[in-house]
Every structure is written in structure tokens, then in C-alpha cells.
Amino acid sequence: MSQPDLDTWRAQVRQWLATVLEPARQPESTGEPADLAVFHNLPEDEERALLERCRAHQRARFDAGYQALTLPEDVGGAGLTAAHAAAYAEEESAFEVPPSTELISVTVRLVGMAVSLFGTVEQRANYARPFLRTDLLACQLFSEPGAGSDLAALRTRARQDGEHWVIDGQKVWTSGARFADYGLLLARTDPDVVKQAGITAFLVPMDAPGVEVRPIRQMSGGASFNEVFLSGVRIPDRLRIGRPGQGWEVATTTLAFERTASGSGNRRKGGTFADVLALARSLGRTGDPLVRQRLADLYVRTELRAATVDRVARTSAAGGRPGPEASLTKLMASDLLTRTGQVAAELLGARISADTGEPGTYAWTQHLLGAPGYRLAGGTDQIQRNLIGERVLKLPPEPRVDRVPFSQLSGN
Ligand SMILES: Cc1cc2nc3c(=O)[nH]c(=O)nc-3n(C[C@H](O)[C@H](O)[C@H](O)COP(=O)(O)OP(=O)(O)OC[C@H]3O[C@@H](n4cnc5c(N)ncnc54)[C@H](O)[C@@H]3O)c2cc1C
């Protein structure tokens, strides 16, 4: 397909955004920024209300043709280049977008994209489209107690029984599972081949008998992720995504989308450089040479991340799946989030650890306690470095000692 001219398209996006959103508010000079939480800590009714606000915006975006920008048209996307997606994000940052949640991001940017790419025509109509429009919400049932960085070691089993599959196992750290309609689940369907080859992906209805969701309380106070137990969960074969044994390809594609989403800066997570600058101003600290150095360092890193997102977007091929370069932007984004919290904590001193009622100070605690989570989610910093080393820089790979059937690995 011939691509629309980037500048003309960008102008159309800006015009559309102005019809549905208010212009972005700058952080107040009082140092009281809007929302510094990396993870929300809301009672259930407020969480549901937030989800509804997010869904209304995602639906408007879908209906205007601005969802799934880089997915090929034949699988329900807009078929545009990553540069168009980056331009959309840039334009959107000038507007007051409803604060998104992990579940919205996982539904649209991860599961919706993966089911579009790997689903049948019927699955695209029944699931991918409703996920991209957030009519249905989906969580990501990948990690297990013994399978995080080494995801291919997962032990949740799916056994075929005629036209059905029966699933037993446990997942953990599942963001948004309490509010999800479906979960994209990875399960072992063949233990007698190497671990990556014996995995299959399924969509599991979260209200199916045998699915139990238990929230996990985080140090930031909220419970945005959960444990999910699956006991004899019976699902029809039509909910299998991709071929039996194709689950690892579904997983790596989904994770590459996750790194792109996490690194893109599309969704506001915690405080930004502008928030820290507003804080320094409100505390009267911008004349301090050490504070100025810290602010300058943060500014440079913020600009470098934005430039890298842009460069990776421009060099990515049009349409389809993100490449290993997504690890670069994910790593820079998690590093920036951590450093932003550190500079705010240095500025605030003891005030960050107690709510004194002083505007815009204790709010940074939410940032500080949430930021470490992003060094882990979607693959840890160390795993991103491994991916960059092996797949971007083409350095020698880590030694692999597990190229034997999964059932022959110790403990299985
Ligand atoms: C906020 C948040 C949300 C999440 N949401 C979801 C979700 O919705 N769905 C889901 O399935 N999962 C989710 N996760 C889980 C996440 O994917 C895992 O936490 C992550 O992959 C790390 O796995 P692990 O916690 O088991 O740590 P481990 O894999 O046990 O790692 C422990 C430590 O060892 C290091 N390490 C491990 N292997 C290597 C290696 N080869 N080289 C160098 N260092 C290594 C790691 O970097 C880490 O520091 C979420 C996690 C967080 C924090």
C-alpha cells in the first residue's frame, strides 16, 4: 500500500485529537503535578470508572482508524509505518489523554496485536477487533512462579481431549486479571520436544470454571497484578491461537510489542522531567549548581530516549512486528523512570517518606515505589541487555544447555 505523506497525516491526526481531547496541562508551577503514580492504587469502583474512561477514548480512536497503526491492513490494522505510529504518539502528547492502565495497554497493544497476527479470520472478528476497540479486555497469562526471564520453562499444561483442551497450572504477576474478560495463555502441550517447541497459545475466558484470580498487594499500595490458578479448565479448540507448538512465536511477538509499548512513552507512567523541573522551581532549588547538574542530566536522558524511540521507529520496516531494537527503548524508559524518581527524592529529602500535606511532595512516593516494577515488567533490564547484545550487536550468545526435550530437563 502507498503510505500517506507523514506531514499531511500528522496534521489530520492533530485535527482529530483536538476534536476529542483537551490540550495537555503543563505541570503547575506550585510543583503539584497531576498524577505521579506508576501503578494506580484505586478502590474497585474507581478502577472500573477509570477503565470506562480509557475504553471510551480507545473506542473513539479505533473508530477514527487510528488504532493498531502498524499492523497490516489484511489483519485489521492501519498498515502504516512505525514512523506514523511515532508521529501519532508525539501529537497525542500535546493532549490530555485519559490516564491509561496496564490492562488497557495489554489488551490493545499486546493481546489485540498478537491475536490479529496469529488468529484465524474468525478469531480476528470475534476477539482481535473487540480487543483493539476494548469492547473486550484481555490480560497476559505468561509468567509463572518458575518461569519469568526463562519463560520457555513454563509448566502450565494443556492436554487435548477431543475438541477441547484441559488446562492445569499457575500463572503469576498477571496485570489486570481481575477485570479481564480473556487471558492470552501459554501452556505446554508437548513435553517431549525442546522447551520452546512444545508451547501453544490459547485464549482463556477468565470466568471459565476452574479459573481463580488472587490479587497481589504491591509495595506501592495497589493490587494491579494477580496470581491466576487454573484447575481442570476446559476450553474449546477454537480458542487456540496459532498452531499447536507455535506458542513461542506468539510469545516472542507479543513480548516485542510489549517492549515497544513500554519504551515508547505513549502512556504516561509516573513523573516526567517537566514534573521534576516544576518541583525544583517550587522548592526554589533551580539556582543550586548540583541540582542544575542533576536536572541537565535528566533532560539529556529524556531527549535521548525520545530521539532513540524516533530512530528505532524510522528504521523499522513498515507494518508487522517490532524488531529486537525495541529492547533499547524499553531499557532507556525504565532507566529514565528510576532516575526521575531519584532526582525527585534528592530534592524532597525526608519529605518523600511522610505525608506532610505539602502540595506535590508525597505524590512522588507513588512514583518512587512504582518505578522498580518497570525494570522487571516485559523482561528485566538484564534480559533487555542480553537481547541487545545477542540480537542487535550480534555478540556471541549466552551458553545454552537446555537444547534437549523439556521432559529431560531436571525437575520435569
Ligand atoms: C509491574 C509488572 C507487571 C507484570 N505484568 C505481567 C503480566 O501481565 N503478565 C505476565 O505474564 N507477567 C507479568 N509480569 C512478570 C514479568 O514478566 C516478570 O517479572 C519478568 O519477566 C521477570 O521474571 P521473574 O520475576 O520470574 O524474575 P527471574 O526471571 O526469576 O529473574 C530474577 C533476576 O535474575 C535476573 N536474570 C534472570 N535470567 C537472567 C539471565 N539469563 N541473564 C542475566 N540476568 C538474568 C533477572 O534480570 C532478575 O534480576 C509483570 C511484572 C511486573 C513487575
Side-chain angles (χ1 to χ4, degrees):
M1 159 192 153
S2 75
Q3 296 288 334
D5 169 69
L6 192 59
D7 291 335
T8 315
W9 185 83
R10 183 192 275 274
Q12 287 165 0
V13 168
R14 194 179 313 144
Q15 211 171 17
W16 175 75
L17 286 167
T19 64
V20 291
L21 297 171
E22 297 292 323
R25 289 187 295 270
Q26 291 308 310
E28 304 294 328
S29 55
T30 59
E32 188 173 14
D35 180 6
L36 298 180
V38 177
F39 300 102
H40 292 106
N41 176 15
L42 299 172
E44 185 162 333
D45 53 340
E46 286 178 35
E47 180 82 32
R48 285 194 191 281
L50 175 62
L51 277 174
E52 288 316 311
R53 275 179 64 206
C54 297
R55 291 169 97 161
H57 177 65
Q58 296 297 336
R59 283 177 189 144
R61 181 174 168 173
F62 181 96
D63 294 343
Y66 293 128
Q67 199 72 290
L69 294 173
T70 58
L71 267 191
E73 281 178 294
D74 58 349
V75 296
L80 296 170
T81 64
H84 287 84
Y88 183 94
E90 215 174 281
E91 291 303 321
E92 197 183 45
S93 66
F95 292 88
E96 210 48 44
V97 185
S100 192
T101 72
E102 286 78 46
L103 184 56
I104 295 289
S105 188
V106 168
T107 300
V108 175
R109 297 176 189 280
L110 277 58
V111 182
M113 301 290 252
V115 177
S116 298
L117 282 174
F118 291 95
T120 60
V121 173
E122 193 191 35
Q123 287 170 336
R124 283 204 289 272
N126 293 342
Y127 304 107
R129 190 177 189 281
F131 291 152
L132 293 176
R133 204 173 173 270
T134 64
D135 294 330
L136 290 174
L137 297 177
C139 60
Q140 182 193 20
L141 294 166
F142 285 13
S143 305
E144 298 183 3
S149 301
D150 186 10
L151 181 60
L154 59 89
R155 288 168 185 226
T156 292
R157 288 288 309 266
R159 183 174 47 81
Q160 193 155 19
D161 179 16
E163 280 302 294
H164 286 77
W165 294 84
V166 182
I167 302 166
D168 287 282
Q170 186 200 337
K171 298 290 173 177
V172 72
W173 316 127
T174 317
S175 303
R178 280 187 297 155
F179 303 102
D181 301 293
Y182 284 86
L184 180 63
L185 172 119
L186 299 176
R188 187 158 306 283
T189 46
D190 185 355
D192 297 322
V193 291
V194 291
K195 59 185 182 179
Q196 290 85 355
I199 296 171
T200 304
F202 300 91
L203 275 179
V204 174
M206 295 302 285
D207 60 357
V211 177
E212 188 194 345
V213 178
R214 294 188 200 159
I216 300 174
R217 183 67 54 192
Q218 294 148 225
M219 68 175 171
S220 54
S224 58
F225 47 42
N226 308 268
E227 292 178 293
V228 178
F229 294 85
L230 303 120
S231 316
V233 179
R234 204 175 160 78
I235 59 166
D237 186 53
R238 63 180 165 74
L239 291 178
R240 171 171 47 78
I241 302 296
R243 296 184 308 277
Q246 203 185 5
W248 189 241
E249 195 185 338
V250 177
T252 50
T253 304
T254 310
L255 291 171
F257 280 124
E258 184 166 14
R259 281 158 203 152
T260 311
S262 301
S264 66
N266 281 355
R267 182 165 82 78
R268 184 187 168 104
K269 287 188 274 292
T272 62
F273 169 74
D275 296 318
V276 180
L277 181 61
L279 176 68
R281 284 195 175 126
S282 75
L283 297 172
R285 301 282 305 281
T286 46
D288 180 328
L290 290 180
V291 170
R292 292 168 77 90
Q293 274 178 26
R294 298 289 274 152
L295 289 172
D297 180 69
L298 205 56
Y299 175 73
V300 169
R301 289 175 192 276
T302 303
E303 291 298 305
L304 274 177
R305 189 200 64 81
T308 309
V309 168
D310 190 54
R311 186 164 61 91
V312 167
R314 280 174 203 281
T315 53
S316 300
R321 309 161 196 201
E325 297 80 8
S327 290
L328 282 170
T329 53
K330 159 70 168 71
L331 189 59
M332 291 177 94
S334 71
D335 180 64
L336 188 60
L337 204 64
T338 305
R339 287 174 190 272
T340 302
Q342 284 166 349
V343 178
E346 284 168 20
L347 284 168
L348 287 165
R351 273 172 292 194
I352 200 153
S353 57
D355 191 356
T356 59
E358 204 175 340
T361 56
Y362 191 62
W364 280 99
T365 308
Q366 290 277 349
H367 176 113
L368 208 64
L369 294 178
Y374 270 91
R375 302 193 85 116
L376 310 174
T380 66
D381 285 0
Q382 289 81 2
I383 295 302
Q384 305 309 330
R385 290 196 175 94
N386 283 353
L387 289 168
I388 293 166
E390 290 184 19
R391 298 185 54 203
V392 180
L393 302 176
K394 311 285 182 209
L395 298 175
E398 277 195 282
R400 306 266 192 262
V401 292
D402 52 6
R403 296 286 191 217
V404 295
F406 180 74
S407 52
Q408 288 176 23
L409 293 171
S410 77
N412 295 307

